[in-house]
Structure formats: C-alpha cells, structure tokens
Amino acid sequence: MILREKPGIVALLFAVRGSVLPRILPRILAVSALAAVVVWLDGNILALPHTNAAPFAVFGVALSLFLGFRNNAAYERWWEGRCLWGQLLADLRALGRDAELFLPQREDRHQLLRLALGFIHLHRINLRKSSDFTQANAWAGEDFSQTPHPPCAVMNRMTTLAAQSAPDGFARKALSERLSSITLAQAGCERIAATPLPYVYSLLVFRTTYLYCLLIPFALLESTGWMTPVFVAIVAYVFFGLAEVTEELSHPFGETVNGLPLDAVCRTAEISLCDHLEQTPPAPMTPQNYILT
C-alpha cells in the first residue's frame, strides 16, 4: 500500500512509484508507434481511410462506462478485504481480553495467544501463496506448514486448547464464539482470493481496449495530423491504465505496491497481544519509500 502525503504538482505529474505506468508503457509505445506508421503511410505512400470521430466517441463512452463498472467491482473486493482484516485484528484483540477473563492458567492463556498470532501469519501466507513460515512457526511454537490447510490446523489446535482449559461452559461458549468470528473473517478473505472477477469481463475489457486504441488513429488523421501519435498515447494511457488498475485492485492480497499491507496488520496484532503475553512489543512497521507491505 502506498502511504504518502499529497505530492506537489510536479511530483504528482512525474511520480512513478505506485503508478501502473511502468507496466503499461510498452503497450502505450507500441500503439503510438503504430499510429506514427499510419500517419507516415497516409502522407507518403497511400491515402488511408479517414473515418469520422463520432463513432469512436460513442465507442469511447461505452468503453469508459464498462471500465468504470469493472473498476468499482475491483475496488469493492479491495475494500471488503481491508474490512475483513480489520475485523480479524479486532477479534484478536478481543481474544486477548477473553483469555484474561476465561482462562485462569497463565500457560494456557499464553499458548492460546501465541497460536492466534501463528494463525494470522499463516492466514497471510495462505492468501499470498508464500512459502516463508518462519514467523508463523516462531509464534505457534511448531511447524504447521505440512498440514493440508495450515490456518485451519492451528485454529483446530486453538479450539482444542480452549475446550480443555476453560473452567466452565460459559467460558467455552464465549471463546468458541470469538474463534467462530475469526473463522468467518478468514473464510471471507479466502472467498475473495479464490474467486476472481469473471474472466469474460477481463477478456472483453482488454479486447475492446486494444481494438479502440488500434483503430483510433484513423479517426484522428484528418484533425490532428502528425500529432496523432501523441493523442493516441494519451488515450492509451487512460484506457490501459484503468484496465491495469482494475486488475491490480481485484487481487487485494497480492504483493503489489497497491495491495493490502498484510505484514503491517500482522505486526499490529503482535503489538496488541504482547502485553497479554508479558513481552516487549515490536516496533510498528513503517513505509519504506512510501510502500507499506
């Protein structure tokens, strides 16, 4: 996630970090080069068709509306993911208080909370398809990486511990409800990660975007002449950029610069539970070059 104050006008125009420009620049250059070839052919070799701009205006409006719809759908996925991780953090903080209230044995409380921190790291690893289990194993106290589903394995261990350590039925019920709330947030995140936007949307967006950018030089030949490649580059930046932003936001748990800062949320959970664990909390994570991972 990019975290920075609003830049000045110069920095805003030339900022690259956090922008999709590096990924779409080859495509912009390609369609601009094609537009330059079209202009050269029209002026020196063969008179090409000069189409009316009106159909492209209608086409552009329709494409913009479709890109906007897809962008809204992608942002909803990103925002829902952020809300679910906020709920996870709130539930882990509440679990720390529940453990103080309902688990009389210090060792049982500490083991439950260490397993909870192992769970949130394993959940992050599962969503990001990572293979670094160092932090998760350190907190959980054992290696869950070989289990079929590591986050569920550690959650099952927490359930067993709560059932065995709680002194009465009310305490077991309260702890069970807290663990169920954590599980619901986990399932919501996995639903987002496992269910991408329909492929037909991506296919239609990218096909129509390329088609529009490849044909628009013929609509600009008459009015813009040798400036056609410049205007084609601007149009391509808008449409390719919107398509790429949508693709990035639709995967909120990815390790892109605009993905959710799952490492930072896990660190916040560690800080919140260290008091209950009687440990010195680690320092909060800070953005590096405006990027919080």
Side-chain angles (χ1 to χ4, degrees):
M1 178 183 288
I2 299 292
L3 291 179
R4 64 180 300 178
E5 298 294 330
K6 182 179 178 180
I9 184 64
V10 176
L12 188 64
L13 288 174
F14 295 99
V16 175
R17 186 175 291 111
S19 169
V20 296
L21 181 59
R23 292 194 294 280
I24 65 174
L25 185 58
R27 284 175 268 173
I28 295 174
L29 294 177
V31 295
S32 299
L34 179 63
V37 171
V38 169
V39 172
W40 180 80
L41 287 174
D42 182 66
N44 297 278
I45 304 297
L46 177 66
L48 298 175
H50 291 206
T51 59
N52 191 288
F56 287 89
V58 176
F59 188 7
V61 170
L63 182 56
S64 299
L65 291 173
F66 192 75
L67 281 169
F69 168 77
R70 190 169 181 270
N71 186 66
N72 288 337
Y75 181 77
E76 286 177 5
R77 290 166 57 85
W78 187 93
W79 183 246
E80 185 184 2
R82 181 65 188 91
C83 291
L84 289 170
W85 270 82
Q87 179 186 335
L88 276 172
L89 181 59
D91 281 331
L92 286 182
R93 287 169 170 167
L95 181 64
R97 301 183 185 97
D98 290 345
E100 295 283 353
L101 289 170
F102 300 122
L103 298 182
Q105 298 297 321
R106 174 178 176 273
E107 293 77 10
D108 294 334
R109 292 197 302 270
H110 286 194
Q111 185 179 358
L112 181 69
L113 296 183
R114 292 184 67 86
L115 285 170
L117 290 175
F119 163 80
I120 198 167
H121 280 289
L122 288 170
H123 183 45
R124 167 183 59 82
I125 290 167
N126 183 57
L127 292 176
R128 286 185 167 175
K129 304 288 191 291
S130 176
S131 58
D132 183 6
F133 289 85
T134 305
Q135 286 181 295
N137 293 342
W139 281 111
E142 58 183 289
D143 185 6
F144 287 90
S145 62
Q146 302 305 313
T147 58
H149 195 284
C152 285
V154 74
M155 183 60 69
N156 292 338
R157 187 67 55 83
M158 291 169 65
T159 302
T160 301
L161 178 63
Q164 294 174 348
S165 305
D168 53 48
F170 181 81
R172 284 191 287 272
K173 182 176 184 296
L175 291 171
S176 175
E177 289 176 350
R178 184 65 58 198
L179 296 178
S180 295
S181 180
I182 293 173
T183 303
L184 283 175
Q186 173 199 3
C189 292
E190 291 176 348
R191 167 177 50 81
I192 294 173
T195 311
L197 287 175
Y199 176 69
V200 65
Y201 283 173
S202 300
L203 194 62
L204 182 59
V205 162
F206 282 101
R207 279 180 176 173
T208 52
T209 300
Y210 273 103
L211 185 63
Y212 185 82
C213 292
L214 291 174
L215 291 179
I216 199 171
F218 297 98
L220 299 176
L221 281 173
E222 188 71 34
S223 57
T224 59
W226 282 101
M227 288 292 290
T228 297
V230 176
F231 287 99
V232 168
I234 294 171
V235 171
Y237 173 73
V238 173
F239 287 120
F240 286 145
L242 278 173
E244 194 65 32
V245 166
T246 300
E247 194 67 23
E248 189 169 305
L249 290 182
S250 67
H251 300 89
F253 309 120
E255 296 187 80
T256 61
V257 293
N258 291 302
L260 292 174
L262 304 189
D263 294 321
V265 177
C266 289
R267 177 62 61 84
T268 303
E270 293 173 1
I271 295 170
S272 299
L273 294 186
C274 272
D275 283 344
H276 299 287
L277 291 169
E278 302 172 15
Q279 294 184 8
T280 302
M285 296 185 68
T286 56
Q288 302 296 321
N289 293 325
Y290 307 114
I291 298 175
L292 187 64
T293 61

